[in-house]
Amino acid sequence: MKLATLKNGTRDGVLVVVSKDLTQCTAVGHIAPTLQSALDDWEAIAPRLARVAQGLETASQPTQRFHEKDAMSPLPRAYQWADGSAYVNHVELVRQARGAEMPESFWTDPLMYQGGSDTLLGPRDPISFPDGAEDWGIDMEGEVAVIVDDVPLGASPEEAAQAIRLIMLVNDVSLRGLIPAELGKGFGFFQSKPSSAFSPVAITPDELGDAWDGGKVLLPLCVDYNGEAFGRAEAGIDMTFDFGQLVSHAAKTRPLGAGAIIGSGTVSNKLENGPGKPVSKGGVGYSCIAEIRMIETIKDGKPTTGFMRFGDTVRIEMKDHDGKSIFGAIEQVVEKKNG
């Protein structure tokens, strides 16, 4: 089934079940007023939501038109948002571009940071910054994320994978110019990782059919930048750590509560699988600007592609084998915040 949160003037919105084709929805406040409340009692609530989803497809359920612009993040605020870096190729390129050797442990132990989860952006919310922020190196990062049920302390990757309840897309906005100084302090990201945006709908894994192997999404992530194809990286290729491993890593020293979000990190493919080739000529391109700048630096000694400016747009989407949108699209504009 597909679930979304619509704006209703409150912080947490109202939960709706969305049709497979993303055109219709039904409010389910009588079952669970919010997505978090559904996740808090998933075993009891999910079957009832599934019956509503079935009714949507058979036209036996009252519906209203679903508009992606009316959607908040599926979880407008969450108890936990932790982002991994499952595509180690991305990390390797970052370090190679600045001449740094990558520790061998990066291939066996996932990187992960704890992001801010109190203000998660909706799919059409602007990326808003004050005047002068263009110097901060504004970048998009196209990712996949999962929402989990309760995960016990020390859960194995297999146990962790069984706790995955929903899947969605992410634009993990990064401020590249602020990252080096923050990492230099030895305390990790904070100011350099502003609010992330999420897809209009979150889906149960069964919606992906054979495009879900239990830990990876086996489809390309479509990233358009200023109206042009920028990336079509395959999410199921070059993912060093699958979601079971990422969730298990997050739960190594603490249990995870229902509703915790775990991200994949920037979807990235190795050079032989596409990066460095123009998308228009069949290459898979990039899911963030930093990566194309890395390739330019490695090849030519310096980057030529700039980071995002006010007025720039990004669209992140994933389509099934028939070309139909699965999660709806994240569509954002970089906007100067007044005042």
Side-chain angles (χ1 to χ4, degrees):
M1 61 186 161
K2 300 189 176 188
L3 303 174
T5 296
L6 296 185
K7 301 171 185 175
N8 69 347
T10 68
R11 292 178 184 270
D12 299 304
V14 60
L15 180 64
V16 297
V17 178
V18 183
S19 61
K20 292 180 181 295
D21 64 3
L22 305 178
T23 64
Q24 304 293 320
C25 67
T26 296
V28 288
H30 60 294
I31 299 175
T34 66
L35 180 54
Q36 182 61 54
S37 65
L39 291 160
D40 286 340
D41 192 17
W42 188 256
E43 292 302 316
I45 297 297
R48 298 176 64 187
L49 296 178
R51 287 193 289 273
V52 174
Q54 184 178 16
L56 269 172
E57 303 307 317
T58 59
S60 60
Q61 184 74 37
T63 64
Q64 64 188 71
R65 188 73 179 174
F66 178 68
H67 298 285
E68 294 181 18
K69 64 180 178 62
D70 296 329
M72 305 172 76
S73 168
L75 282 173
R77 50 182 175 170
Y79 292 116
Q80 177 74 273
W81 157 229
D83 199 16
S85 194
Y87 299 86
V88 181
N89 174 68
H90 172 75
V91 182
E92 188 173 37
L93 284 173
V94 172
R95 299 181 71 88
Q96 186 179 351
R98 66 173 188 258
E101 185 176 345
M102 191 176 77
E104 192 63 30
S105 63
F106 281 23
W107 292 100
T108 57
D109 192 35
L111 293 173
M112 186 169 286
Y113 81 91
Q114 191 169 35
S117 59
D118 52 338
T119 57
L120 302 178
L121 300 180
R124 299 294 189 275
D125 290 343
I127 302 169
S128 296
F129 292 119
D131 191 23
E134 289 174 323
D135 296 334
W136 294 346
I138 305 167
D139 198 0
M140 71 276 202
E141 290 194 59
E143 306 184 10
V144 181
V146 297
I147 303 175
V148 298
D149 205 333
D150 293 311
V151 180
L153 168 70
S156 68
E158 294 74 23
E159 291 170 332
Q162 292 301 310
I164 294 172
R165 296 292 175 255
L166 298 166
I167 305 168
M168 53 188 178
L169 304 182
V170 191
N171 181 17
D172 177 40
V173 180
S174 294
L175 302 175
R176 303 293 183 184
L178 302 185
I179 288 176
E182 284 207 301
L183 293 183
K185 294 177 181 178
F187 239 48
F189 301 122
F190 194 85
Q191 291 180 338
S192 53
K193 288 291 187 176
S195 300
S196 298
F198 292 82
S199 52
V201 303
I203 69 171
T204 49
D206 61 285
E207 287 287 334
L208 290 170
D210 60 6
W212 174 251
D213 73 352
K216 301 178 183 178
V217 179
L218 310 180
L219 290 168
L221 184 67
C222 304
V223 179
D224 292 351
Y225 182 35
N226 288 333
E228 296 185 0
F230 186 80
R232 299 294 185 268
E234 291 283 347
I237 296 177
D238 302 321
M239 191 178 188
T240 307
F241 307 103
D242 67 19
F243 277 112
Q245 293 169 297
L246 291 176
V247 175
S248 174
H249 178 83
K252 181 176 181 178
T253 61
R254 72 182 81 175
L256 302 180
I261 305 170
I262 306 295
S264 68
T266 306
V267 178
S268 175
N269 291 159
K270 294 178 181 178
L271 285 169
E272 59 266 28
N273 291 329
K277 304 174 186 177
V279 175
S280 60
K281 296 182 180 179
V284 298
Y286 313 90
S287 301
C288 69
I289 296 172
E291 195 159 303
I292 190 172
R293 287 171 57 89
M294 298 171 211
I295 297 295
E296 291 168 347
T297 300
I298 293 166
K299 287 185 174 181
D300 307 319
K302 63 179 182 180
T304 56
T305 301
F307 287 114
M308 301 180 82
R309 314 287 294 181
F310 293 129
D312 284 352
T313 61
V314 60
R315 179 184 173 95
I316 299 172
E317 190 175 22
M318 186 173 278
K319 299 179 180 179
D320 63 20
H321 297 303
D322 296 322
K324 297 177 181 177
S325 184
I326 301 171
F327 302 89
I330 298 170
E331 291 186 5
Q332 295 181 279
V333 60
V334 181
E335 173 185 273
K336 184 184 295 186
K337 182 178 176 62
N338 297 319

